Amino acid sequence: MTAIPTTATTAAPPGPAVPRPRGGVVQSARDSLVVAKRNLIRMARIPEVVIFGLIQPVMFVVLFSYVFGGSISVGGSTSPAAYREFLMAGIFAQTVTFATAGAGAGIADDMHKGLIDRFRSLPMARGAVLTGRTLADLVQTTLTVIVLAIVALLVGWHTHTSLPEVLAGFALLLLLGYAFSWIGALIGLSVRTPEAATSGGLIWLFPLTFISNAFVPSDNMPPFLRHIAEWNPFSATVQAARVLFGNLPPGYEAPQAWPMQHPVWASILWSIVIVVGFRTLAVRKYRSATA
């Protein structure tokens, strides 16, 4: 009887271990940092953008301090020094929010040049392109605020609280700037050219910043505008910064509106709502624009 030959199966040698990709939050954070680094390198290669971004807030500090300083009553005083301390929180807030136009123009420029399409071809988190851009803008805004604070100290601005409180005030300002950069991202994704993004990023900022307590006390406004100013997220952050810097006039009584009575909490809540809402809209717009 002839035995039936059997075929021996030889197991293949194990190949090299393939690293498991990091997904979810870790992958998105890593991709966002890569995009942020790319944007920071590009900003460093175009220093005139940073320089021009510094000129406007410095001009506002000098002009408002010396031109309007003795003309506006703050807490019953028309002292230029009193107005200068009242003013600076508003200038800081205006500076961080006006970075919105730059964020929108940068994203619109990337869309116009087809860079977003190249990013889309890479295995990366979809929201990382926008998150990286807003983080890079936050770094640039931080540098601008540092320079602006130095200029403010040179023209006579002072804080009257502890260092942690002062740092907390600047943190709230930067949080507001980061929140508004997501509004700029949505605008940049919604227009066709960087020029349109710049215009669209500024046209709504002027009424937002001027119908507020940034440059004049809201008590002197007509009732309708006063209510808008007191519930304005911009006003909440300005008021919180003044509290944390110790820049409220002597004998100052805050308006009865809740954001003015609790400005720190109001500033945090407004910024979180803006980040969550406009980040969701911007990422959705990004996906539909590159689909």
Side-chain angles (χ1 to χ4, degrees):
M1 186 175 183
T2 304
I4 301 175
T6 57
T7 303
T9 303
T10 304
V18 178
R20 297 177 61 184
R22 292 178 295 177
V25 176
V26 175
Q27 179 71 34
S28 179
R30 186 186 65 176
D31 294 342
S32 298
L33 291 176
V34 171
V35 176
K37 181 180 178 181
R38 172 254 173 193
N39 281 285
L40 289 173
I41 292 174
R42 186 174 69 170
M43 290 175 185
R45 291 175 178 173
I46 314 175
E48 57 268 24
V49 175
V50 180
I51 294 172
F52 291 152
L54 288 171
I55 292 176
Q56 177 179 320
V58 170
M59 288 177 59
F60 269 104
V61 171
V62 175
L63 290 174
F64 274 86
S65 297
Y66 293 104
V67 176
F68 301 108
S71 304
I72 298 177
S73 175
V74 178
S77 172
T78 56
S79 167
Y83 181 67
R84 195 175 298 121
E85 293 196 355
F86 177 86
L87 169 72
M88 281 314 305
I91 295 292
F92 285 133
Q94 184 190 54
T95 300
V96 299
T97 52
F98 270 41
T100 300
I107 291 175
D109 186 51
D110 289 344
M111 292 283 291
H112 183 68
K113 293 179 178 178
L115 184 63
I116 298 296
D117 292 332
R118 292 198 289 272
F119 278 137
R120 184 170 176 260
S121 66
L122 300 175
M124 62 188 302
R126 288 295 178 90
V129 175
L130 302 179
T131 303
R133 175 73 205 196
T134 54
L135 289 176
D137 289 328
L138 178 61
V139 173
Q140 181 179 353
T141 303
T142 303
L143 296 176
T144 303
V145 168
I146 292 173
V147 174
L148 185 58
I150 294 173
V151 174
L153 291 172
L154 292 176
V155 300
W157 172 66
H158 299 286
T159 59
H160 305 282
T161 52
S162 64
L163 180 61
E165 290 175 299
V166 173
L167 294 178
F170 282 115
L172 289 180
L173 290 165
L174 292 174
L175 178 60
L176 179 72
Y178 180 72
F180 274 48
S181 68
W182 281 105
I183 302 178
L186 180 61
I187 293 173
L189 291 169
S190 304
V191 298
R192 298 181 180 180
T193 64
E195 293 79 10
T198 302
S199 300
L202 290 175
I203 193 171
W204 60 275
L205 277 174
F206 280 103
L208 183 78
T209 55
F210 281 93
I211 305 177
S212 72
N213 59 357
F215 306 112
V216 295
S218 59
D219 301 339
N220 299 327
M221 297 181 181
F224 174 70
L225 290 181
R226 185 173 67 247
H227 292 312
I228 295 176
E230 291 171 354
W231 285 89
N232 186 341
F234 184 84
S235 295
T237 301
V238 171
Q239 185 79 352
R242 286 185 182 133
V243 170
L244 293 170
F245 293 158
N247 287 158
L248 290 175
Y252 173 81
E253 293 185 6
Q256 294 302 311
W258 185 86
M260 298 295 100
Q261 292 289 325
H262 307 87
V264 174
W265 286 110
S267 174
I268 294 172
L269 290 174
W270 269 121
S271 296
I272 291 175
V273 168
I274 293 171
V275 169
V276 172
F278 281 91
R279 187 185 189 281
T280 301
L281 294 174
V283 172
R284 185 178 301 171
K285 183 72 176 179
Y286 171 79
R287 289 175 176 171
S288 64
T290 57

